[in-house]
Amino acid sequence: METCRERVYQVFGAKKLARLVEIEPAEDGGRGSPISGSGPNPRPALRLSGFVSEPQFQRSNRNSYHVFVNRRAVRDRLVHRAIGRAYESLLPSGAFPFALLFLDVPPETVDVNVHPAKSEVRFREPGRVFNFVRDTVRGSLAEAKPAADLPAAATVQQQVPAPSDGTPPGWPFPASPPSGTGHRPAGRSTGRLRFGPSPSAPIPARGSGIAPSTANGPDAESGPDVPEPALCSGGDPLVDARPTNLGSLSDLRLLGQVQGSFIVAEGADGVWIIDQHVAHERILFEQVLAARLRGRPVAQRLLVPISVTLTPAQLAVSARLEEELRGNGFEIQRRGERSLDIGSVPAELRPQQAQALLAELLDGASESTGGLTLGDLRKRMAATIACHAAIKINTPLTEEKMRWLLDSLANSDFPMACPHGRPIALKYGMKAILKAFHRA
């Protein structure tokens, strides 16, 4: 019997499958948790499996969300929101992933009669379903740490059209569970390090990575790459159709920098380009957020307090955010009607950055604080602090500093994208290199 992975390969082809992260069958609150809980009244089981895309495989809408509840295709807002939350801080604003999810719940815990076409459902425990889907998808992304291939933005247009009922051809897939994933880390190469920046080359501009096709409107999609039937029986194309795990970054051999902005490294599977600013930004973001959640921010006290004059709007926001600012390492004292003295700043910052950072935090929160949850506010602050403190472009780095960046990024939870959704590391695979030189 075909596995779900083989069926996805038949419908979408190897190129699409290589951009997908497989979700191993998960039960209840996460991998390895008890199926039915514990105690005299165990909770019924929830099960989830399927595929989700790497963060750089982006769409401009949610039309690529394909959700099956108890083998029935549905359009469920709760599950859609859970998918979006799973990609929080991994996608830029306005971008959406691909998702193919199979959610199984006990029939008595879901109402399938809330829509005439039975395309919508209502869960008895919506909070539990939301948390389960969000945590399972995000946990799968954290485990896989999928890398993006060059060019990063091209995948936005690579999607499969859906029939008028929203269900891709050949679905639903067989009930057999997906096969295991597994990753092959790139081996560490040996040899002498070579550093050779090219000062005459221009620095490429960073885009958002979102470039929807306009051939048939903003939501136009291209057709599937359907392989020959002979390729669907466990050959190398199916085995190789997996994203590379970014945990292998620590195994790369450094080659140098481009324009003092991008680190170039070699791995067994090709050449890698790492944006040093957003790499450091991701590392700092996770460190700042973890320290805030532990309640132990690292701050540096200033020898001479910095005096800041605020607008009335900024002053009002600073009063509401005082506890969060203090929790992130700021020590602020009111002085006069519209002035504040900054006595300490987060340890990641230089003192001269404090005034601009504080103004940016207050301006960014002035219009949206009321609609932000505490978790959203903390993540926004952590992202802003990380962006100001991260290594800038046009900054030459020593070999030791570049190695530290790669090792730290490989050990981070989500090395795929910066907190604003920009790609961090791109791979130019050996197959693509050989093909470009007409050697394959």
Side-chain angles (χ1 to χ4, degrees):
M1 179 180 293
E2 290 177 329
T3 65
C4 184
R5 181 177 177 79
E6 290 170 336
R7 192 72 177 107
V8 170
Y9 176 57
Q10 288 181 326
V11 174
F12 292 99
K15 291 182 180 180
K16 307 295 190 300
L17 184 58
R19 313 311 298 264
L20 302 182
V21 173
E22 187 168 1
I23 298 178
E24 298 285 358
E27 297 173 337
D28 272 350
R31 305 169 194 276
S33 62
I35 294 178
S36 57
S38 60
N41 297 309
R43 303 172 77 184
L46 303 178
R47 296 181 177 87
L48 184 70
S49 62
F51 293 83
V52 293
S53 61
E54 63 183 29
Q56 300 313 317
F57 189 103
Q58 300 164 6
R59 295 293 292 157
S60 59
N61 53 47
R62 296 182 180 86
N63 290 345
S64 294
Y65 288 4
H66 307 289
V67 178
F68 293 79
V69 176
N70 292 348
R71 317 306 295 176
R72 181 189 298 273
V74 300
R75 302 290 296 179
D76 186 77
R77 295 180 180 178
L78 178 79
V79 177
H80 287 189
R81 288 199 304 271
I83 297 170
R85 295 290 287 187
Y87 280 82
E88 190 176 43
S89 81
L90 298 177
L91 292 178
S93 177
F96 303 89
F98 168 93
L100 166 62
L101 297 180
F102 299 96
L103 177 62
D104 294 314
V105 302
E108 66 273 13
T109 66
V110 60
D111 183 359
V112 298
N113 296 313
V114 297
H115 190 275
K118 298 186 184 298
S119 60
E120 298 178 8
V121 295
R122 182 181 294 118
F123 297 102
R124 179 187 296 175
E125 298 180 284
R128 182 189 178 203
V129 172
F130 179 90
N131 292 337
F132 174 54
V133 173
R134 178 200 60 197
D135 295 345
T136 302
V137 172
R138 194 164 180 85
S140 297
L141 291 171
E143 181 180 342
K145 298 181 180 180
D149 293 334
L150 287 169
T155 57
V156 179
Q157 304 177 29
Q158 296 177 356
Q159 274 295 342
V160 178
S164 58
D165 63 354
T167 304
W171 291 15
F173 293 96
S176 54
S179 60
T181 53
H183 299 280
R184 297 178 302 171
R188 182 186 293 271
S189 301
T190 59
R192 187 178 182 84
L193 289 168
R194 300 184 299 276
F195 297 90
S198 175
S200 60
I203 299 176
R206 276 200 304 256
S208 65
I210 307 176
S213 173
T214 56
N216 297 304
D219 299 329
E221 297 178 338
S222 60
D225 295 332
V226 180
E228 294 295 329
L231 295 179
C232 300
S233 56
D236 286 342
L238 178 58
V239 173
D240 292 340
R242 304 174 188 273
T244 303
N245 191 310
L246 283 171
S248 64
L249 285 172
S250 58
D251 296 322
L252 300 182
R253 182 168 69 92
L254 286 168
L255 300 179
Q257 280 180 290
V258 176
Q259 287 288 297
S261 303
F262 301 92
I263 299 172
V264 182
E266 174 194 3
D269 50 358
V271 176
W272 292 74
I273 302 177
I274 299 95
D275 186 326
Q276 65 192 37
H277 172 71
V278 294
H280 197 205
E281 190 176 353
R282 165 53 66 175
I283 295 166
L284 291 176
F285 172 75
E286 294 187 5
Q287 290 176 350
V288 170
L289 195 58
R292 177 66 187 97
L293 294 176
R294 292 194 304 266
R296 296 194 300 271
V298 181
Q300 56 175 322
R301 181 168 295 278
L302 305 179
L303 293 177
V304 180
I306 299 175
S307 181
V308 181
T309 300
L310 304 179
T311 65
Q314 290 175 333
L315 198 61
V317 173
S318 69
R320 296 200 301 268
L321 301 185
E322 183 176 354
E323 182 179 350
E324 280 305 309
L325 290 171
R326 186 168 55 251
N328 280 284
F330 285 97
E331 181 184 298
I332 297 176
Q333 292 183 345
R334 184 80 170 264
R335 184 174 61 82
E337 293 185 358
R338 292 175 52 186
S339 296
L340 297 176
D341 283 344
I342 304 175
S344 67
V345 297
E348 296 81 8
L349 296 175
R350 298 191 303 273
Q352 54 267 36
Q353 296 176 300
Q355 184 171 350
L357 173 60
L358 182 61
E360 183 175 333
L361 286 172
L362 297 180
D363 287 338
S366 60
E367 297 181 358
S368 55
T369 301
L372 291 177
T373 66
L374 180 60
D376 293 334
L377 180 61
R378 288 178 175 174
K379 290 171 184 174
R380 176 173 293 188
M381 283 193 174
T384 305
I385 293 172
C387 186
H388 278 256
I391 298 169
K392 303 299 185 281
I393 62 172
N394 296 317
T395 302
L397 300 178
T398 64
E399 174 188 336
E400 290 75 19
K401 187 65 173 181
M402 286 189 281
R403 173 55 60 193
W404 177 86
L405 273 176
L406 293 185
D407 291 345
S408 299
L409 185 62
N411 292 324
S412 64
D413 292 333
F414 297 98
M416 299 86 77
C418 81
H420 307 97
R422 295 189 296 266
I424 294 177
L426 300 176
K427 182 187 71 174
Y428 195 12
M430 284 305 304
K431 288 184 178 180
I433 293 174
L434 292 173
K435 184 176 181 181
F437 285 99
H438 302 283
R439 291 182 174 272

